[in-house]
Amino acid sequence: MRTQGSIFSNIPPVTKNLIIINFIVWLAMMLSPRIASLFTDYGALHFFKASDFNPAQLLTYMFMHSTTDFAHILFNMFTLFMFGITLERVLGSPRYLFYYISCGIGAAVVQELVWAFTWQDIFVKPLANMNGITFDMARQAIDSAVAEGMELPFLNQLITVGASGAIYGVLLAFGMIFPNMPLYIMFIPVPIKAKWMVIGYGAIELLIGLSHATDGVAHFAHLGGMIFGFIMILIWKKQGVIHGNRF
């Protein structure tokens, strides 16, 4: 007599192991403040000009999540579960893993570019207010310090963690491969085609990012994951790896 396995045992290997690894890292950080501190110092994505930055963070940051907001890891892993299973079966496990990791790294690269253009504005005004000087004087002082090769400890405050960039890449791929698949979204009583859901998410992230929101969310990193995913899916469609729209 053949019995059905559990839901978890039927999840394809890459999606299943990604979920397991993310929850193990999150749980370790939750249970041990020391581990959380070490992981944050060495594994979270730091600004490339900061003293705590190392290149491995472009990969490690996507396996870490906030320990103060359970919704962070819950949303990411639930989304990975809902869409990653189908995507892994379509692309195959090796290509799917490559895609996931590439989107996460792409998101990190975009976030680094955003920091490169905004870090002075983030810190100049507080520095000016703290020292009772003008904005221009504070900017000049920072520029001089950078030119002299001085270390700026406050740059280590620019940190991001989470799989969201890779997850948004997964959403993008699903919307491109199954553009007309009807999906139900929370609080919306009618189904929405996958392509419109993806476009909507992208538009929201762009608008919030451009509004300079101080919600602690790396909105441009989300867009970065979608951009890199869009490029890869286009290439694979042209190469015949993905044959047209699936739905």
Side-chain angles (χ1 to χ4, degrees):
M1 181 177 179
R2 186 176 181 179
T3 59
Q4 296 292 328
S6 66
I7 294 176
F8 202 69
S9 66
N10 291 324
I11 302 175
V14 173
T15 300
K16 177 166 62 178
N17 285 302
L18 286 173
I19 293 173
I20 291 172
I21 293 169
N22 275 277
F23 270 113
I24 287 176
V25 172
W26 178 81
L27 188 61
M29 293 176 67
M30 275 288 294
L31 296 178
S32 172
R34 183 179 180 183
I35 290 177
S37 178
L38 286 172
F39 279 15
T40 300
D41 289 343
Y42 294 101
L45 182 66
H46 290 69
F47 182 32
F48 70 91
K49 290 186 177 181
S51 59
D52 286 349
F53 172 78
N54 69 77
Q57 293 169 0
L58 296 171
L59 174 66
T60 56
Y61 88 101
M62 69 181 80
F63 296 98
M64 301 169 57
H65 288 81
S66 170
T67 56
T68 60
D69 182 10
F70 182 63
H72 187 208
I73 189 170
L74 180 63
F75 171 80
N76 281 344
M77 295 303 101
F78 177 74
T79 305
L80 182 59
F81 174 81
M82 292 297 295
F83 298 97
I85 292 174
T86 302
L87 193 60
E88 181 173 353
R89 287 172 178 161
V90 169
L91 296 178
S93 295
R95 191 179 298 274
Y96 170 70
L97 178 60
F98 174 81
Y99 177 84
Y100 182 92
I101 296 297
S102 297
C103 287
I105 293 175
V109 170
V110 170
Q111 184 59 45
E112 291 287 353
L113 290 174
V114 170
W115 279 335
F117 285 103
T118 61
W119 72 269
Q120 289 195 4
D121 290 333
I122 293 173
F123 294 109
V124 168
K125 188 174 181 180
L127 182 64
N129 293 336
M130 188 184 304
N131 292 277
I133 57 179
T134 67
F135 184 90
D136 289 338
M137 291 173 64
R139 180 184 291 278
Q140 185 176 2
I142 291 177
D143 288 341
S144 298
V146 171
E148 294 173 6
M150 294 177 59
E151 184 176 314
L152 303 177
F154 55 77
L155 291 181
N156 286 316
Q157 297 174 27
L158 295 175
I159 298 174
T160 192
V161 296
S164 300
I167 297 300
Y168 270 77
V170 169
L171 288 174
L172 185 282
F174 190 92
M176 290 184 70
I177 297 173
F178 303 95
N180 297 314
M181 176 78 76
L183 300 173
Y184 284 91
I185 301 177
M186 191 178 297
F187 306 122
I188 299 179
V190 295
I192 296 176
K193 291 182 178 180
K195 60 185 177 183
W196 300 123
M197 179 201 70
V198 169
I199 292 172
Y201 271 117
I204 290 171
E205 292 301 312
L206 179 60
L207 290 173
I208 297 177
L210 291 176
S211 71
H212 303 289
T214 56
D215 55 1
V217 178
H219 296 286
F220 285 108
H222 298 171
L223 289 171
M226 297 181 84
I227 291 169
F228 274 70
F230 180 76
I231 294 170
M232 281 187 285
I233 296 299
L234 274 185
I235 292 173
W236 288 341
K237 280 193 172 187
K238 289 183 178 181
Q239 291 176 343
V241 174
I242 303 171
H243 301 285
N245 298 330
R246 296 303 184 96
F247 193 88

